[in-house]
Coordinates of all heavy atoms in Angstrom, one line a residue:
I169 N -3.1 26.2 -27.3 CA -2.4 27.3 -26.6 C -1.5 28.0 -27.6 O -1.5 29.3 -27.7 CB -1.6 26.9 -25.4 CG1 -2.6 26.5 -24.3 CG2 -0.7 27.9 -25.0 CD1 -3.2 27.7 -23.5
G170 N -0.7 27.2 -28.4 CA 0.2 27.8 -29.3 C -0.5 28.6 -30.4 O 0.0 29.6 -30.9
A171 N -1.7 28.1 -30.8 CA -2.5 28.8 -31.8 C -3.4 29.9 -31.3 O -4.1 30.6 -32.0 CB -3.4 27.8 -32.5
G172 N -3.3 30.1 -29.9 CA -4.1 31.2 -29.4 C -5.6 31.0 -29.3 O -6.3 31.9 -29.3
V173 N -6.0 29.7 -29.2 CA -7.4 29.4 -29.2 C -7.9 29.5 -27.8 O -7.4 28.7 -26.9 CB -7.7 28.0 -29.8 CG1 -9.2 27.6 -29.7 CG2 -7.1 27.8 -31.2
P174 N -8.9 30.4 -27.5 CA -9.4 30.5 -26.1 C -10.2 29.3 -25.7 O -10.8 28.6 -26.5 CB -10.2 31.8 -26.1 CG -10.6 31.9 -27.6 CD -9.5 31.3 -28.4
P175 N -10.3 29.1 -24.4 CA -11.1 27.9 -23.9 C -12.5 27.9 -24.4 O -13.1 26.8 -24.7 CB -11.1 28.1 -22.3 CG -9.8 28.9 -22.1 CD -9.7 29.8 -23.3
M176 N -13.2 29.0 -24.5 CA -14.6 29.1 -24.9 C -14.8 28.6 -26.4 O -15.9 28.2 -26.8 CB -15.2 30.5 -24.8 CG -14.5 31.5 -25.7 SD -15.2 33.1 -25.5 CE -14.7 33.5 -23.9
S177 N -13.7 28.5 -27.1 CA -13.8 28.0 -28.5 C -13.5 26.6 -28.7 O -13.5 26.1 -29.9 CB -12.8 28.9 -29.4 OG -13.1 30.2 -29.3
V178 N -13.3 25.9 -27.6 CA -12.9 24.5 -27.7 C -14.0 23.6 -27.1 O -14.4 23.8 -26.0 CB -11.6 24.2 -27.0 CG1 -11.1 22.8 -27.3 CG2 -10.5 25.2 -27.5
V179 N -14.3 22.5 -27.8 CA -15.2 21.5 -27.3 C -14.4 20.2 -27.2 O -13.8 19.7 -28.2 CB -16.4 21.3 -28.2 CG1 -17.3 20.1 -27.7 CG2 -17.3 22.5 -28.3
W180 N -14.4 19.6 -26.0 CA -13.6 18.4 -25.8 C -14.6 17.2 -25.7 O -15.6 17.3 -25.1 CB -12.9 18.5 -24.5 CG -11.8 19.6 -24.4 CD1 -12.0 20.9 -24.0 CD2 -10.5 19.5 -24.8 NE1 -10.9 21.6 -24.1 CE2 -9.9 20.8 -24.5 CE3 -9.7 18.5 -25.2 CZ2 -8.5 21.0 -24.8 CZ3 -8.3 18.7 -25.5 CH2 -7.8 20.0 -25.3
Q181 N -14.2 16.1 -26.3 CA -15.0 14.9 -26.3 C -14.1 13.7 -26.4 O -12.9 13.8 -26.8 CB -16.1 14.9 -27.3 CG -15.5 14.9 -28.8 CD -16.6 14.9 -29.8 OE1 -17.8 15.3 -29.5 NE2 -16.3 14.6 -31.0
V182 N -14.6 12.6 -26.1 CA -13.9 11.3 -26.1 C -14.4 10.5 -27.3 O -15.6 10.5 -27.5 CB -14.0 10.6 -24.8 CG1 -13.3 9.2 -24.9 CG2 -13.4 11.4 -23.6
A183 N -13.5 9.9 -28.0 CA -14.0 9.0 -29.2 C -15.0 8.0 -28.7 O -14.8 7.3 -27.7 CB -12.8 8.3 -29.8
G184 N -16.1 7.9 -29.4 CA -17.2 7.0 -29.1 C -18.3 7.6 -28.3 O -19.4 7.1 -28.3
D185 N -18.0 8.8 -27.7 CA -19.1 9.5 -27.0 C -19.9 10.4 -27.9 O -19.4 10.7 -29.0 CB -18.5 10.4 -25.8 CG -17.9 9.5 -24.7 OD1 -18.1 8.3 -24.7 OD2 -17.2 10.1 -23.9
D186 N -21.1 10.7 -27.5 CA -21.8 11.6 -28.3 C -21.2 13.0 -28.2 O -20.9 13.5 -27.2 CB -23.3 11.7 -27.8 CG -24.0 10.4 -28.0 OD1 -23.6 9.7 -29.0 OD2 -25.0 10.2 -27.3
G187 N -21.0 13.7 -29.4 CA -20.4 15.0 -29.4 C -21.4 16.1 -29.2 O -22.6 15.9 -29.0
E188 N -21.0 17.3 -29.3 CA -21.8 18.5 -29.2 C -22.8 18.4 -30.4 O -22.5 18.0 -31.5 CB -21.0 19.8 -29.3 CG -20.2 20.0 -28.1 CD -21.1 20.5 -26.9 OE1 -21.7 21.5 -27.1 OE2 -21.1 19.9 -25.9
L189 N -24.1 19.0 -30.2 CA -25.1 18.9 -31.2 C -24.6 19.5 -32.5 O -24.9 19.0 -33.6 CB -26.3 19.6 -30.7 CG -27.6 19.6 -31.6 CD1 -28.0 18.2 -31.9 CD2 -28.7 20.4 -31.0
F190 N -23.9 20.7 -32.4 CA -23.5 21.3 -33.7 C -22.0 21.3 -33.8 O -21.4 22.1 -34.5 CB -24.0 22.8 -33.7 CG -25.5 22.9 -33.6 CD1 -26.2 23.3 -32.4 CD2 -26.3 22.4 -34.7 CE1 -27.5 23.3 -32.4 CE2 -27.7 22.5 -34.6 CZ -28.3 22.9 -33.5
G191 N -21.3 20.5 -32.9 CA -19.9 20.5 -32.9 C -19.3 19.7 -34.1 O -19.9 18.8 -34.6
S192 N -18.0 20.0 -34.4 CA -17.3 19.2 -35.4 C -15.8 19.5 -35.2 O -15.5 20.5 -34.6 CB -17.7 19.6 -36.8 OG -17.5 21.0 -37.1
E193 N -15.0 18.7 -35.8 CA -13.6 18.9 -35.7 C -13.2 20.1 -36.4 O -13.5 20.3 -37.6 CB -12.8 17.7 -36.2 CG -12.9 16.4 -35.4 CD -12.2 16.6 -34.0 OE1 -11.1 17.1 -34.0 OE2 -12.7 16.1 -33.0
G194 N -12.5 21.1 -35.7 CA -12.1 22.3 -36.4 C -10.7 22.3 -36.9 O -10.0 21.3 -36.8
V195 N -10.3 23.4 -37.4 CA -8.9 23.5 -37.9 C -8.2 24.6 -37.1 O -8.7 25.7 -36.9 CB -8.9 23.9 -39.4 CG1 -7.5 24.1 -39.9 CG2 -9.7 22.9 -40.3
L196 N -7.1 24.2 -36.6 CA -6.3 25.1 -35.8 C -5.8 26.3 -36.6 O -5.3 26.0 -37.7 CB -5.2 24.4 -35.1 CG -5.5 23.5 -34.0 CD1 -4.3 22.7 -33.5 CD2 -6.1 24.3 -32.8

Side-chain angles (χ1 to χ4, degrees):
I169 285 283
V173 179
M176 66 181 67
S177 302
V178 185
V179 174
W180 298 89
Q181 63 182 18
V182 177
D185 291 350
D186 291 335
E188 288 286 302
L189 183 59
F190 302 107
S192 61
E193 289 292 320
V195 178
L196 287 172

